PDB file of all heavy atoms in Angstrom:
ATOM      1  N   ASN A 277       0.830  -1.204   0.004  1.00 98.00           N
ATOM      2  CA  ASN A 277       0.012  -0.010   0.003  1.00 98.00           C
ATOM      3  C   ASN A 277       0.856   1.243   0.000  1.00 98.00           C
ATOM      4  O   ASN A 277       2.040   1.208   0.406  1.00 98.00           O
ATOM      5  CB  ASN A 277      -0.918   0.022   1.213  1.00 98.00           C
ATOM      6  CG  ASN A 277      -1.892  -1.138   1.246  1.00 98.00           C
ATOM      7  OD1 ASN A 277      -2.375  -1.569   0.206  1.00 98.00           O
ATOM      8  ND2 ASN A 277      -2.216  -1.605   2.443  1.00 98.00           N
ATOM      9  N   ASN A 278       0.281   2.364  -0.413  1.00 98.00           N
ATOM     10  CA  ASN A 278       0.976   3.640  -0.450  1.00 98.00           C
ATOM     11  C   ASN A 278       2.320   3.479  -1.138  1.00 98.00           C
ATOM     12  O   ASN A 278       3.367   3.908  -0.610  1.00 98.00           O
ATOM     13  CB  ASN A 278       1.142   4.204   0.959  1.00 98.00           C
ATOM     14  CG  ASN A 278       1.600   5.634   0.959  1.00 98.00           C
ATOM     15  OD1 ASN A 278       1.405   6.372   0.009  1.00 98.00           O
ATOM     16  ND2 ASN A 278       2.248   6.041   2.055  1.00 98.00           N
ATOM     17  N   LEU A 279       2.310   2.939  -2.316  1.00 98.00           N
ATOM     18  CA  LEU A 279       3.555   2.678  -3.057  1.00 98.00           C
ATOM     19  C   LEU A 279       4.255   3.979  -3.444  1.00 98.00           C
ATOM     20  O   LEU A 279       3.599   4.993  -3.711  1.00 98.00           O
ATOM     21  CB  LEU A 279       3.258   1.853  -4.278  1.00 98.00           C
ATOM     22  CG  LEU A 279       3.020   0.376  -3.998  1.00 98.00           C
ATOM     23  CD1 LEU A 279       2.321  -0.273  -5.182  1.00 98.00           C
ATOM     24  CD2 LEU A 279       4.341  -0.307  -3.705  1.00 98.00           C
ATOM     25  N   LYS A 280       5.586   3.905  -3.411  1.00 98.00           N
ATOM     26  CA  LYS A 280       6.436   5.034  -3.732  1.00 98.00           C
ATOM     27  C   LYS A 280       7.318   4.689  -4.923  1.00 98.00           C
ATOM     28  O   LYS A 280       7.609   3.507  -5.159  1.00 98.00           O
ATOM     29  CB  LYS A 280       7.287   5.414  -2.541  1.00 98.00           C
ATOM     30  CG  LYS A 280       6.521   5.719  -1.284  1.00 98.00           C
ATOM     31  CD  LYS A 280       7.431   5.960  -0.109  1.00 98.00           C
ATOM     32  CE  LYS A 280       6.630   6.267   1.154  1.00 98.00           C
ATOM     33  NZ  LYS A 280       7.531   6.518   2.328  1.00 98.00           N
ATOM     34  N   PRO A 281       7.781   5.680  -5.681  1.00 98.00           N
ATOM     35  CA  PRO A 281       8.677   5.372  -6.794  1.00 98.00           C
ATOM     36  C   PRO A 281       9.902   4.537  -6.389  1.00 98.00           C
ATOM     37  O   PRO A 281      10.355   3.723  -7.191  1.00 98.00           O
ATOM     38  CB  PRO A 281       9.088   6.759  -7.307  1.00 98.00           C
ATOM     39  CG  PRO A 281       7.929   7.608  -6.960  1.00 98.00           C
ATOM     40  CD  PRO A 281       7.434   7.098  -5.636  1.00 98.00           C
ATOM     41  N   GLU A 282      10.417   4.748  -5.179  1.00 97.00           N
ATOM     42  CA  GLU A 282      11.578   3.985  -4.746  1.00 97.00           C
ATOM     43  C   GLU A 282      11.255   2.513  -4.459  1.00 97.00           C
ATOM     44  O   GLU A 282      12.175   1.730  -4.187  1.00 97.00           O
ATOM     45  CB  GLU A 282      12.202   4.625  -3.495  1.00 97.00           C
ATOM     46  CG  GLU A 282      11.213   4.927  -2.386  1.00 97.00           C
ATOM     47  CD  GLU A 282      10.744   6.376  -2.413  1.00 97.00           C
ATOM     48  OE1 GLU A 282      10.446   6.908  -3.524  1.00 97.00           O
ATOM     49  OE2 GLU A 282      10.669   7.017  -1.342  1.00 97.00           O
ATOM     50  N   ASP A 283      10.000   2.134  -4.529  1.00 98.00           N
ATOM     51  CA  ASP A 283       9.617   0.718  -4.418  1.00 98.00           C
ATOM     52  C   ASP A 283       9.787  -0.034  -5.728  1.00 98.00           C
ATOM     53  O   ASP A 283       9.628  -1.245  -5.771  1.00 98.00           O
ATOM     54  CB  ASP A 283       8.167   0.587  -3.928  1.00 98.00           C
ATOM     55  CG  ASP A 283       7.956   1.107  -2.525  1.00 98.00           C
ATOM     56  OD1 ASP A 283       8.814   0.872  -1.679  1.00 98.00           O
ATOM     57  OD2 ASP A 283       6.902   1.733  -2.284  1.00 98.00           O
ATOM     58  N   THR A 284      10.074   0.699  -6.790  1.00 98.00           N
ATOM     59  CA  THR A 284      10.242   0.064  -8.091  1.00 98.00           C
ATOM     60  C   THR A 284      11.387  -0.947  -8.075  1.00 98.00           C
ATOM     61  O   THR A 284      12.520  -0.619  -7.685  1.00 98.00           O
ATOM     62  CB  THR A 284      10.499   1.109  -9.169  1.00 98.00           C
ATOM     63  OG1 THR A 284       9.367   1.962  -9.308  1.00 98.00           O
ATOM     64  CG2 THR A 284      10.785   0.473 -10.533  1.00 98.00           C
ATOM     65  N   ALA A 285      11.101  -2.180  -8.450  1.00 98.00           N
ATOM     66  CA  ALA A 285      12.087  -3.258  -8.387  1.00 98.00           C
ATOM     67  C   ALA A 285      11.458  -4.542  -8.918  1.00 98.00           C
ATOM     68  O   ALA A 285      10.248  -4.608  -9.169  1.00 98.00           O
ATOM     69  CB  ALA A 285      12.563  -3.460  -6.953  1.00 98.00           C
ATOM     70  N   VAL A 286      12.294  -5.527  -9.118  1.00 98.00           N
ATOM     71  CA  VAL A 286      11.828  -6.875  -9.361  1.00 98.00           C
ATOM     72  C   VAL A 286      11.665  -7.575  -8.017  1.00 98.00           C
ATOM     73  O   VAL A 286      12.607  -7.634  -7.216  1.00 98.00           O
ATOM     74  CB  VAL A 286      12.791  -7.684 -10.264  1.00 98.00           C
ATOM     75  CG1 VAL A 286      12.339  -9.124 -10.382  1.00 98.00           C
ATOM     76  CG2 VAL A 286      12.901  -7.040 -11.617  1.00 98.00           C
ATOM     77  N   TYR A 287      10.466  -8.058  -7.754  1.00 98.00           N
ATOM     78  CA  TYR A 287      10.155  -8.702  -6.491  1.00 98.00           C
ATOM     79  C   TYR A 287      10.141 -10.223  -6.671  1.00 98.00           C
ATOM     80  O   TYR A 287       9.486 -10.746  -7.593  1.00 98.00           O
ATOM     81  CB  TYR A 287       8.815  -8.235  -5.954  1.00 98.00           C
ATOM     82  CG  TYR A 287       8.845  -6.825  -5.385  1.00 98.00           C
ATOM     83  CD1 TYR A 287       8.969  -5.733  -6.232  1.00 98.00           C
ATOM     84  CD2 TYR A 287       8.775  -6.615  -4.025  1.00 98.00           C
ATOM     85  CE1 TYR A 287       9.013  -4.451  -5.714  1.00 98.00           C
ATOM     86  CE2 TYR A 287       8.811  -5.348  -3.490  1.00 98.00           C
ATOM     87  CZ  TYR A 287       8.939  -4.248  -4.351  1.00 98.00           C
ATOM     88  OH  TYR A 287       8.967  -2.970  -3.848  1.00 98.00           O
ATOM     89  N   SER A 288      10.825 -10.922  -5.775  1.00 98.00           N
ATOM     90  CA  SER A 288      10.931 -12.374  -5.813  1.00 98.00           C
ATOM     91  C   SER A 288      10.550 -12.979  -4.489  1.00 98.00           C
ATOM     92  O   SER A 288      10.817 -12.388  -3.442  1.00 98.00           O
ATOM     93  CB  SER A 288      12.334 -12.833  -6.199  1.00 98.00           C
ATOM     94  OG  SER A 288      12.753 -12.310  -7.445  1.00 98.00           O
ATOM     95  N   CYS A 289       9.933 -14.134  -4.520  1.00 98.00           N
ATOM     96  CA  CYS A 289       9.673 -14.854  -3.298  1.00 98.00           C
ATOM     97  C   CYS A 289      10.690 -15.998  -3.154  1.00 98.00           C
ATOM     98  O   CYS A 289      11.260 -16.456  -4.136  1.00 98.00           O
ATOM     99  CB  CYS A 289       8.234 -15.403  -3.230  1.00 98.00           C
ATOM    100  SG  CYS A 289       7.810 -16.580  -4.528  1.00 98.00           S
ATOM    101  N   ALA A 290      10.894 -16.424  -1.918  1.00 97.00           N
ATOM    102  CA  ALA A 290      11.889 -17.452  -1.654  1.00 97.00           C
ATOM    103  C   ALA A 290      11.465 -18.277  -0.453  1.00 97.00           C
ATOM    104  O   ALA A 290      10.693 -17.811   0.405  1.00 97.00           O
ATOM    105  CB  ALA A 290      13.270 -16.832  -1.415  1.00 97.00           C
ATOM    106  N   ALA A 291      11.999 -19.478  -0.372  1.00 95.00           N
ATOM    107  CA  ALA A 291      11.634 -20.396   0.708  1.00 95.00           C
ATOM    108  C   ALA A 291      12.898 -20.951   1.343  1.00 95.00           C
ATOM    109  O   ALA A 291      13.920 -21.151   0.688  1.00 95.00           O
ATOM    110  CB  ALA A 291      10.796 -21.553   0.162  1.00 95.00           C
ATOM    111  N   LYS A 292      12.780 -21.230   2.650  1.00 92.00           N
ATOM    112  CA  LYS A 292      13.872 -21.879   3.346  1.00 92.00           C
ATOM    113  C   LYS A 292      13.302 -22.781   4.436  1.00 92.00           C
ATOM    114  O   LYS A 292      12.159 -22.600   4.895  1.00 92.00           O
ATOM    115  CB  LYS A 292      14.859 -20.873   3.936  1.00 92.00           C
ATOM    116  CG  LYS A 292      14.341 -20.049   5.110  1.00 92.00           C
ATOM    117  CD  LYS A 292      15.418 -19.113   5.637  1.00 92.00           C
ATOM    118  CE  LYS A 292      14.966 -18.306   6.821  1.00 92.00           C
ATOM    119  NZ  LYS A 292      14.859 -19.173   8.031  1.00 92.00           N
ATOM    120  N   ILE A 293      14.103 -23.727   4.869  1.00 88.00           N
ATOM    121  CA  ILE A 293      13.713 -24.608   5.962  1.00 88.00           C
ATOM    122  C   ILE A 293      13.793 -23.853   7.271  1.00 88.00           C
ATOM    123  O   ILE A 293      14.734 -23.085   7.513  1.00 88.00           O
ATOM    124  CB  ILE A 293      14.622 -25.835   6.024  1.00 88.00           C
ATOM    125  CG1 ILE A 293      14.568 -26.629   4.722  1.00 88.00           C
ATOM    126  CG2 ILE A 293      14.254 -26.739   7.207  1.00 88.00           C
ATOM    127  CD1 ILE A 293      13.205 -27.191   4.423  1.00 88.00           C
ATOM    128  N   TYR A 294      12.763 -24.029   8.098  1.00 84.00           N
ATOM    129  CA  TYR A 294      12.779 -23.401   9.392  1.00 84.00           C
ATOM    130  C   TYR A 294      14.009 -23.758  10.174  1.00 84.00           C
ATOM    131  O   TYR A 294      14.416 -24.918  10.241  1.00 84.00           O
ATOM    132  CB  TYR A 294      11.526 -23.810  10.185  1.00 84.00           C
ATOM    133  CG  TYR A 294      11.513 -23.303  11.607  1.00 84.00           C
ATOM    134  CD1 TYR A 294      11.221 -21.962  11.848  1.00 84.00           C
ATOM    135  CD2 TYR A 294      11.788 -24.133  12.674  1.00 84.00           C
ATOM    136  CE1 TYR A 294      11.209 -21.463  13.165  1.00 84.00           C
ATOM    137  CE2 TYR A 294      11.774 -23.671  13.982  1.00 84.00           C
ATOM    138  CZ  TYR A 294      11.492 -22.334  14.228  1.00 84.00           C
ATOM    139  OH  TYR A 294      11.488 -21.875  15.524  1.00 84.00           O
ATOM    140  N   GLY A 295      14.677 -22.741  10.736  1.00 75.00           N
ATOM    141  CA  GLY A 295      15.857 -22.946  11.521  1.00 75.00           C
ATOM    142  C   GLY A 295      17.166 -22.891  10.775  1.00 75.00           C
ATOM    143  O   GLY A 295      18.222 -22.890  11.393  1.00 75.00           O
ATOM    144  N   LEU A 296      17.122 -22.806   9.426  1.00 74.00           N
ATOM    145  CA  LEU A 296      18.314 -22.708   8.610  1.00 74.00           C
ATOM    146  C   LEU A 296      18.462 -21.278   8.101  1.00 74.00           C
ATOM    147  O   LEU A 296      17.477 -20.547   7.978  1.00 74.00           O
ATOM    148  CB  LEU A 296      18.265 -23.695   7.436  1.00 74.00           C
ATOM    149  CG  LEU A 296      18.233 -25.170   7.797  1.00 74.00           C
ATOM    150  CD1 LEU A 296      18.219 -26.020   6.555  1.00 74.00           C
ATOM    151  CD2 LEU A 296      19.414 -25.545   8.691  1.00 74.00           C
ATOM    152  N   GLY A 297      19.699 -20.908   7.790  1.00 78.00           N
ATOM    153  CA  GLY A 297      20.000 -19.519   7.495  1.00 78.00           C
ATOM    154  C   GLY A 297      19.961 -19.092   6.044  1.00 78.00           C
ATOM    155  O   GLY A 297      20.216 -17.916   5.771  1.00 78.00           O
ATOM    156  N   TYR A 298      19.646 -19.984   5.122  1.00 91.00           N
ATOM    157  CA  TYR A 298      19.644 -19.610   3.702  1.00 91.00           C
ATOM    158  C   TYR A 298      18.361 -20.046   3.023  1.00 91.00           C
ATOM    159  O   TYR A 298      17.716 -21.003   3.428  1.00 91.00           O
ATOM    160  CB  TYR A 298      20.859 -20.220   2.995  1.00 91.00           C
ATOM    161  CG  TYR A 298      20.831 -21.728   2.894  1.00 91.00           C
ATOM    162  CD1 TYR A 298      20.304 -22.345   1.769  1.00 91.00           C
ATOM    163  CD2 TYR A 298      21.350 -22.515   3.897  1.00 91.00           C
ATOM    164  CE1 TYR A 298      20.278 -23.711   1.665  1.00 91.00           C
ATOM    165  CE2 TYR A 298      21.311 -23.901   3.822  1.00 91.00           C
ATOM    166  CZ  TYR A 298      20.779 -24.499   2.686  1.00 91.00           C
ATOM    167  OH  TYR A 298      20.770 -25.856   2.587  1.00 91.00           O
ATOM    168  N   TYR A 299      18.019 -19.298   1.985  1.00 94.00           N
ATOM    169  CA  TYR A 299      16.870 -19.623   1.141  1.00 94.00           C
ATOM    170  C   TYR A 299      17.315 -20.518   0.003  1.00 94.00           C
ATOM    171  O   TYR A 299      18.245 -20.182  -0.738  1.00 94.00           O
ATOM    172  CB  TYR A 299      16.226 -18.352   0.602  1.00 94.00           C
ATOM    173  CG  TYR A 299      15.476 -17.562   1.661  1.00 94.00           C
ATOM    174  CD1 TYR A 299      16.153 -16.667   2.471  1.00 94.00           C
ATOM    175  CD2 TYR A 299      14.109 -17.740   1.869  1.00 94.00           C
ATOM    176  CE1 TYR A 299      15.472 -15.949   3.461  1.00 94.00           C
ATOM    177  CE2 TYR A 299      13.435 -17.012   2.824  1.00 94.00           C
ATOM    178  CZ  TYR A 299      14.122 -16.151   3.633  1.00 94.00           C
ATOM    179  OH  TYR A 299      13.446 -15.420   4.627  1.00 94.00           O
ATOM    180  N   PHE A 300      16.674 -21.654  -0.175  1.00 93.00           N
ATOM    181  CA  PHE A 300      17.103 -22.643  -1.126  1.00 93.00           C
ATOM    182  C   PHE A 300      16.260 -22.654  -2.398  1.00 93.00           C
ATOM    183  O   PHE A 300      16.672 -23.273  -3.391  1.00 93.00           O
ATOM    184  CB  PHE A 300      17.063 -24.052  -0.510  1.00 93.00           C
ATOM    185  CG  PHE A 300      15.678 -24.543  -0.178  1.00 93.00           C
ATOM    186  CD1 PHE A 300      14.929 -25.264  -1.101  1.00 93.00           C
ATOM    187  CD2 PHE A 300      15.129 -24.310   1.069  1.00 93.00           C
ATOM    188  CE1 PHE A 300      13.664 -25.717  -0.796  1.00 93.00           C
ATOM    189  CE2 PHE A 300      13.846 -24.763   1.386  1.00 93.00           C
ATOM    190  CZ  PHE A 300      13.119 -25.466   0.451  1.00 93.00           C
ATOM    191  N   ALA A 301      15.098 -22.024  -2.421  1.00 94.00           N
ATOM    192  CA  ALA A 301      14.248 -22.018  -3.591  1.00 94.00           C
ATOM    193  C   ALA A 301      13.798 -20.579  -3.866  1.00 94.00           C
ATOM    194  O   ALA A 301      13.432 -19.852  -2.957  1.00 94.00           O
ATOM    195  CB  ALA A 301      13.013 -22.911  -3.388  1.00 94.00           C
ATOM    196  N   TRP A 302      13.824 -20.227  -5.151  1.00 96.00           N
ATOM    197  CA  TRP A 302      13.502 -18.865  -5.575  1.00 96.00           C
ATOM    198  C   TRP A 302      12.566 -18.884  -6.770  1.00 96.00           C
ATOM    199  O   TRP A 302      12.639 -19.771  -7.625  1.00 96.00           O
ATOM    200  CB  TRP A 302      14.769 -18.110  -5.961  1.00 96.00           C
ATOM    201  CG  TRP A 302      15.710 -17.870  -4.831  1.00 96.00           C
ATOM    202  CD1 TRP A 302      16.614 -18.764  -4.294  1.00 96.00           C
ATOM    203  CD2 TRP A 302      15.847 -16.670  -4.082  1.00 96.00           C
ATOM    204  NE1 TRP A 302      17.282 -18.161  -3.263  1.00 96.00           N
ATOM    205  CE2 TRP A 302      16.856 -16.901  -3.108  1.00 96.00           C
ATOM    206  CE3 TRP A 302      15.232 -15.425  -4.126  1.00 96.00           C
ATOM    207  CZ2 TRP A 302      17.238 -15.945  -2.197  1.00 96.00           C
ATOM    208  CZ3 TRP A 302      15.602 -14.445  -3.228  1.00 96.00           C
ATOM    209  CH2 TRP A 302      16.604 -14.696  -2.279  1.00 96.00           C
ATOM    210  N   GLY A 303      11.707 -17.877  -6.819  1.00 97.00           N
ATOM    211  CA  GLY A 303      10.871 -17.688  -8.006  1.00 97.00           C
ATOM    212  C   GLY A 303      11.604 -16.847  -9.038  1.00 97.00           C
ATOM    213  O   GLY A 303      12.724 -16.348  -8.817  1.00 97.00           O
ATOM    214  N   GLN A 304      10.967 -16.668 -10.190  1.00 97.00           N
ATOM    215  CA  GLN A 304      11.566 -15.931 -11.302  1.00 97.00           C
ATOM    216  C   GLN A 304      11.509 -14.412 -11.091  1.00 97.00           C
ATOM    217  O   GLN A 304      12.311 -13.691 -11.653  1.00 97.00           O
ATOM    218  CB  GLN A 304      10.876 -16.288 -12.610  1.00 97.00           C
ATOM    219  CG  GLN A 304      11.155 -17.701 -13.100  1.00 97.00           C
ATOM    220  CD  GLN A 304      12.522 -17.821 -13.695  1.00 97.00           C
ATOM    221  OE1 GLN A 304      12.842 -17.209 -14.708  1.00 97.00           O
ATOM    222  NE2 GLN A 304      13.359 -18.661 -13.079  1.00 97.00           N
ATOM    223  N   GLY A 305      10.551 -13.961 -10.316  1.00 98.00           N
ATOM    224  CA  GLY A 305      10.402 -12.538 -10.030  1.00 98.00           C
ATOM    225  C   GLY A 305       9.298 -11.890 -10.845  1.00 98.00           C
ATOM    226  O   GLY A 305       8.962 -12.364 -11.926  1.00 98.00           O
ATOM    227  N   THR A 306       8.756 -10.830 -10.308  1.00 98.00           N
ATOM    228  CA  THR A 306       7.717 -10.048 -10.998  1.00 98.00           C
ATOM    229  C   THR A 306       8.053  -8.567 -10.859  1.00 98.00           C
ATOM    230  O   THR A 306       8.462  -8.090  -9.803  1.00 98.00           O
ATOM    231  CB  THR A 306       6.306 -10.358 -10.433  1.00 98.00           C
ATOM    232  OG1 THR A 306       5.320  -9.676 -11.205  1.00 98.00           O
ATOM    233  CG2 THR A 306       6.215  -9.979  -8.969  1.00 98.00           C
ATOM    234  N   GLN A 307       7.912  -7.838 -11.953  1.00 98.00           N
ATOM    235  CA  GLN A 307       8.296  -6.426 -11.998  1.00 98.00           C
ATOM    236  C   GLN A 307       7.232  -5.541 -11.391  1.00 98.00           C
ATOM    237  O   GLN A 307       6.047  -5.646 -11.732  1.00 98.00           O
ATOM    238  CB  GLN A 307       8.565  -5.980 -13.444  1.00 98.00           C
ATOM    239  CG  GLN A 307       8.913  -4.493 -13.591  1.00 98.00           C
ATOM    240  CD  GLN A 307      10.265  -4.138 -13.039  1.00 98.00           C
ATOM    241  OE1 GLN A 307      11.250  -4.850 -13.293  1.00 98.00           O
ATOM    242  NE2 GLN A 307      10.336  -3.069 -12.241  1.00 98.00           N
ATOM    243  N   VAL A 308       7.643  -4.677 -10.486  1.00 98.00           N
ATOM    244  CA  VAL A 308       6.756  -3.632  -9.934  1.00 98.00           C
ATOM    245  C   VAL A 308       7.333  -2.300 -10.292  1.00 98.00           C
ATOM    246  O   VAL A 308       8.510  -1.999  -9.986  1.00 98.00           O
ATOM    247  CB  VAL A 308       6.642  -3.772  -8.395  1.00 98.00           C
ATOM    248  CG1 VAL A 308       5.899  -2.562  -7.814  1.00 98.00           C
ATOM    249  CG2 VAL A 308       5.937  -5.057  -8.022  1.00 98.00           C
ATOM    250  N   THR A 309       6.540  -1.460 -10.950  1.00 98.00           N
ATOM    251  CA  THR A 309       6.991  -0.122 -11.360  1.00 98.00           C
ATOM    252  C   THR A 309       6.006   0.892 -10.816  1.00 98.00           C
ATOM    253  O   THR A 309       4.803   0.811 -11.078  1.00 98.00           O
ATOM    254  CB  THR A 309       7.077  -0.011 -12.885  1.00 98.00           C
ATOM    255  OG1 THR A 309       7.973  -0.999 -13.404  1.00 98.00           O
ATOM    256  CG2 THR A 309       7.566   1.377 -13.265  1.00 98.00           C
ATOM    257  N   VAL A 310       6.534   1.857 -10.066  1.00 98.00           N
ATOM    258  CA  VAL A 310       5.706   2.874  -9.432  1.00 98.00           C
ATOM    259  C   VAL A 310       6.088   4.220 -10.058  1.00 98.00           C
ATOM    260  O   VAL A 310       7.236   4.662  -9.961  1.00 98.00           O
ATOM    261  CB  VAL A 310       5.907   2.944  -7.915  1.00 98.00           C
ATOM    262  CG1 VAL A 310       4.955   3.971  -7.296  1.00 98.00           C
ATOM    263  CG2 VAL A 310       5.662   1.580  -7.311  1.00 98.00           C
TER     264      VAL A 310
END
């Protein structure tokens, strides 16, 4: 909400196992332009 121009970026989601420090799976990303 209340998006700003500085929010413009490629947004990606990622997954990791609970208790571990790294994300092992990533999506391709979706472009957000404000």
Side-chain angles (χ1 to χ4, degrees):
N277 297 326
N278 191 25
L279 283 162
K280 304 175 180 180
E282 50 263 44
D283 294 320
T284 296
V286 174
Y287 285 72
S288 302
C289 62
K292 70 179 182 72
I293 301 297
Y294 174 75
L296 298 181
Y298 67 94
Y299 288 85
F300 67 90
W302 295 80
Q304 291 284 297
T306 185
Q307 177 70 47
V308 172
T309 302
V310 184

